[in-house]
Amino acid sequence: QTLTGRLAGDLQWEGFYQYGRTKSDMAYKDMMRASRWLAARDVIADPVTGAPVCRDVAARAQGCVPYNIFGTDAPTAEQRKWLFETRRANRENTQKIFGGNIVGTAFALPAGDLSIAIGAEHRRETLETSDDPLALAGDLVYTNFGAKQPRIDASFNVTEFYGEVVAPILHDLPFAHRLEIEGAYRYSDYNTIGRTDAWKVGATWSPFRGLTLRGVRSRSVRAPNFGELFEPNT
């Protein structure tokens, strides 16, 4: 939702609210169950029939199907049904943002208009994850998907203030078809990592029409994401 309006001169204001939600239901097929893999490869001859059977009596009662790890045949349908499982995980992100800004021409300078942008913004993000119970129990960790992922129910919020200005200095002069300077600053206050700031200063010089040179010096900040803050090392 956005509201806009006009202030004095060429200045415009804007207020906005934004909500986003992403939900992922993930299924990783053909994940090996560690306990069943161990039971299926530990095989003995049935004392009555002589046929290969799983040594573990409890596993046999659950339907354990023996598997010859030294063979070259592909697993049968019965073996695959016993050995493999679909690992299911869920992940849900939400984001709420509201803020406002003022942009436009502040006033005129001899070489052109001074352009500004100022504003404030507040953002809150949440993350909820859940892993497969079999993975949490340690029975689906020996896979290329990786280790078990403990449940995450986390959030963070940040409040930011920012400003930007572009000021023309020279215009239509010898060796100064256009010369302008620019600057920007953003202050952020996170409830997780504390306060940060980012800035830039720069200039654009066009000695004559058809050639433009630009230089910028800046400092940028990337706050850690949910995974870096809350997920275990893997």
Side-chain angles (χ1 to χ4, degrees):
Q1 297 291 334
T2 303
L3 297 175
T4 61
R6 184 175 295 277
L7 298 174
D10 292 329
L11 291 176
Q12 295 183 343
W13 63 268
E14 177 185 72
F16 62 90
Y17 173 77
Q18 176 179 309
Y19 173 77
R21 175 175 174 265
T22 302
K23 185 175 182 181
S24 301
D25 298 315
M26 297 163 284
Y28 303 89
K29 296 183 178 180
D30 296 332
M31 298 288 101
M32 185 80 74
R33 288 192 61 172
S35 61
R36 291 190 174 187
W37 165 250
L38 294 175
R41 70 184 190 179
D42 185 11
V43 181
I44 61 172
D46 187 290
V48 178
T49 65
V53 294
C54 300
R55 183 192 304 271
D56 190 307
V57 176
R60 290 208 303 269
Q62 295 174 0
C64 180
V65 181
Y67 181 72
N68 179 14
I69 62 174
F70 300 105
T72 58
D73 295 333
T76 65
E78 291 77 13
Q79 289 170 330
R80 293 183 64 85
K81 184 177 180 180
W82 170 256
L83 290 172
F84 298 108
E85 191 66 67
T86 297
R87 180 174 179 173
R88 302 186 182 278
N90 305 99
R91 186 181 186 96
E92 182 174 317
N93 287 89
T94 67
Q95 184 185 76
K96 299 177 182 178
I97 307 175
F98 61 87
N101 57 65
I102 298 174
V103 299
T105 299
F107 51 83
L109 295 174
D113 295 332
L114 179 78
S115 300
I116 65 167
I118 58 174
E121 184 177 294
H122 181 80
R123 185 172 79 254
R124 175 178 172 80
E125 298 189 27
T126 67
L127 172 65
E128 291 186 28
T129 68
S130 60
D131 202 354
D132 194 296
L134 289 174
L136 294 175
D139 207 25
L140 288 178
V141 298
Y142 302 102
T143 69
N144 58 3
F145 175 57
K148 58 186 177 181
Q149 302 292 319
R151 176 177 174 80
I152 297 176
D153 187 358
S155 66
F156 78 85
N157 61 73
V158 54
T159 300
E160 297 184 302
F161 302 93
Y162 58 89
E164 187 168 355
V165 60
V166 178
I169 305 301
L170 299 174
H171 180 64
D172 282 339
L173 295 176
F175 299 103
H177 173 66
R178 178 169 63 99
L179 174 63
E180 63 183 27
I181 60 174
E182 61 183 282
Y185 178 79
R186 178 178 289 263
Y187 170 85
S188 305
D189 187 1
Y190 291 84
N191 71 325
T192 51
I193 63 167
R195 301 170 181 175
T196 69
D197 59 357
W199 53 264
K200 77 169 183 177
V201 292
T204 302
W205 174 42
S206 178
F208 49 85
R209 189 184 300 274
L211 175 65
T212 299
L213 305 174
R214 185 169 187 262
V216 174
R217 180 174 177 84
S218 64
R219 178 181 189 268
S220 299
V221 176
R222 188 187 74 80
N225 59 36
F226 279 114
E228 294 161 341
L229 286 172
F230 302 109
E231 288 182 359
N233 291 331
T234 55

